[in-house]
Amino acid sequence: MTTGNSVSGDFLVASGLTKVFDGGIRAVDGVDLQIRSGEIFALLGPNGAGKTTTIRMIVTLARPTSGTVILEDIDVVKVPDSARERIGYVGQEVALDRSLTAREHLELQAGLYHIPPSMQAERIGEILDLVELTDRADDQVRTFSGGMKKRLDLACGLIHRPRLLVLDEPTLGLDIQTRTRIWQFIRTLREQGTTILLTTHYLEEADQLCDRIAIMDHGKIQTCGTPAELKTSVGGDVVTLTLVEDDARPELEQLAADLRGLPFIRDVVATDRMLIYIEPGQDSVPKVFKSLTDRGVHVDRFTYSPPSLDDVFLKFTGHSLRD
Amino acid sequence: MLKTWCIYKKELKSYFISPIAYVVTGAFLLLSGLIFNALIQYRLAYMAPAYGNMGVYLLFIVPFLTMRLLAEEKRRQTISLLFTSPVSNTAIVVGKFLACYTFVTLMLCITLIYPYILSQFGDLDMGPVKSGFIGLVLLAGCYVGIGLFASSLVADTMIAGVLGVGLIVMLYLMEMAKGWVGDKASVIVEYISIYRPQQDLLQGLLNSKDIFFYVSFMVLTIFASIRMLEANRWR
Ligand SMILES: Nc1ncnc2c1ncn2[C@@H]1O[C@H](COP(=O)(O)OP(=O)(O)OP(=O)(O)O)[C@@H](O)[C@H]1O
Ligand SMILES: [Mg+2]
């Protein structure tokens, strides 16, 4: 096994990664990523942002229109087979054969990654334990629940102990309990030294699970950093207001433009609610309320919080991920 | 090699648990049983007519067995498990081809019971039976190859099946039509026809040239399927 990391210490480096589909759709447009060894890295973005396409290029399922992917010391596009040995991939859709059992799936995978038959049984046992499917190992997949299928899918990507595990929306459509469980597996794997690249459009997932996040929209990386760094980059705290419906109230857009001019306010975003980014400082909040009252605006509800990832998202893409 | 074996094992196993495979096998055995029954009724002590007909049944039966080989994996995305693993397209295609061919051959072996029964009734010339059976197995291999190729073209199981039947029927019609196309054209048809050697084989003439022809045909379809898969793997 190679440990020849590139000079920068990055584990995976994508540079200028671009994918243009037939018909001219630029699904991924000049993406640069540096993923460090042993971290959980997330691509966060709304539907259609280009996350899956980016990942498919990294796991050798799609050929980049241009750009390179270097994993440790190998060029993924030029020597896909060596890359495949080191990468485990779990796709967005569950990819299982309904008529096979969990164990049969793992046996096939083990064979494909030429794990010697003498080691297979032990390895499969370990993985089944990890994803907690030992007692259902010999049941056909058709009898599995959604969460069990997802866990088996994960197990299939893990059988060869990949150095890089790539997960496309690992918790999409799962309930909170299963999601937490999968987060737990992912953390365990990281502790065992696996580097993890995942995509998600769940803010909490990116925030709680991941070491670093790249925010992706319209095929481009808008910003990248740890959750804390990203939040700090928004600066100041956020006051979120729901206003009382009132005929006398000025138009939201008008009001927002008006408020933006005030010195203690950094930015205002009006959607159905109104988000006011304020300068740090004791008296900013009371000043906000005062200026609202002065304009004849009544506040129905408000929250006051440090910036969330959604605020980061909003700042860099101009729209909320929650919409 | 080892990976081909893995894929082979998995595919063969899935035939044995697939309801479609059983229905198809049942249908084939029923149809060939009816023909065999007619042979007994007319007290014909040779298998040639039965093998001739079974060749036609297989035309419709085999694509049902090949249709899911690649198309289903593409539809269900399970193909990405293969594509992201360090396994070659050749191993995938060859493993799947051999698995299906094994299943079809086993199915054909069941029909060996018919000549056995015939031989109990009277004198059965075993020469044509042997070569006829080998001919049938070789023809079936070509069908498997064509069906697999059809499956490599599309991502929908049913369409792969229909396409497979379509391709084989085309070859069959070419054979039928060779009487009324021009001399030159019929020479070509003759040369590439998978049906031409059948006449000889049914009469007990087994020669290595025909066997070589059938094997080459199978290799050709396998090769074509590999190329198609290659085009799919990196998009
Ligand atoms: N095979 C394809 N051919 C043409 N266009 C495609 C293809 N695959 C994806 N696209 C387009 O590329 C864009 C990005 O798609 P992609 O699947 O990468 O987004 P995503 O971020 O994974 O979204 P989601 O959260 O919905 O999974 C979309 O506009 C999509 O329509
Ligand atoms: Mg996606």
Side-chain angles (χ1 to χ4, degrees), chain B residues 54-206:
Chain B
M54 279 152 74
V56 177
Y57 304 152
L58 284 177
L59 185 166
F60 295 101
I61 295 275
V62 170
F64 272 102
L65 297 171
T66 53
M67 63 184 183
R68 37 168 290 285
L69 285 175
L70 290 163
E72 177 88 349
E73 297 234 29
K74 280 189 264 176
R75 191 171 67 83
R76 288 196 184 281
Q77 312 271 324
T78 45
I79 197 89
S80 63
L81 285 182
L82 295 175
F83 281 174
T84 53
S85 72
V87 58
S88 68
N89 297 316
T90 310
I92 299 174
V93 170
V94 172
K96 284 174 181 271
F97 173 86
L98 290 177
C100 184
Y101 200 13
T102 305
F103 187 81
V104 171
T105 305
L106 288 175
M107 180 175 87
L108 289 174
C109 283
I110 302 178
T111 68
L112 284 174
I113 189 133
Y114 301 144
Y116 174 77
I117 295 173
L118 273 186
S119 72
Q120 300 300 302
F121 280 97
D123 262 348
L124 183 65
D125 183 359
M126 279 323 236
V129 171
K130 266 188 220 149
S131 66
F133 182 77
I134 291 172
L136 196 59
V137 171
L138 289 168
L139 186 64
C142 297
Y143 290 170
V144 172
I146 297 169
L148 176 64
F149 175 64
S151 192
S152 76
L153 291 176
V154 294
D156 182 291
T157 318
M158 272 331 276
I159 295 176
V162 173
L163 195 62
V165 173
L167 288 175
I168 303 174
V169 165
M170 226 171 65
L171 289 180
Y172 192 72
L173 289 182
M174 245 165 62
E175 172 74 10
M176 298 287 109
K178 81 176 174 208
W180 8 289
V181 295
D183 273 356
K184 284 208 185 93
S186 78
V187 169
I188 299 173
V189 171
E190 185 90 337
Y191 195 70
I192 59 166
S193 171
I194 53 171
Y195 296 100
R196 180 194 46 77
Q198 286 293 310
Q199 291 311 319
D200 286 357
L201 288 161
L202 288 176
Q203 279 156 26
L205 300 171
L206 182 65

Side-chain angles (χ1 to χ4, degrees), chain A residues 21 25 27 46-53 92 169 201:
Chain A
F21 283 111
I25 303 167
N47 290 133
K51 305 179 301 286
T52 298
T53 310
Q92 185 166 355
E169 311 266 2
H201 58 250

Side-chain angles (χ1 to χ4, degrees), chain A residues 19 56 59-63 80-81 84-85 89 95-100 104 108-109 111-114, chain B residues 2-3 6-7 10 13-14 17 68 76-78 80-87 232-235:
Chain A
K19 181 73 179 180
R56 286 174 64 86
V59 302
T60 78
L61 279 175
R63 190 187 290 280
D81 264 341
R84 287 172 185 140
E85 302 268 1
Y89 166 70
L96 299 170
D97 188 331
R98 288 159 49 81
S99 57
L100 297 183
E104 282 164 350
L108 175 67
Q109 284 301 109
L112 295 180
Y113 286 94
H114 44 69
Chain B
L2 213 69
K3 292 175 193 172
C6 283
I7 290 170
K10 176 230 156 198
K13 203 186 256 172
S14 52
I17 52 177
R68 37 168 290 285
R76 288 196 184 281
Q77 312 271 324
T78 45
S80 63
L81 285 182
L82 295 175
F83 281 174
T84 53
S85 72
V87 58
N232 273 308
R233 191 162 187 162
W234 274 106
R235 267 179 313 175

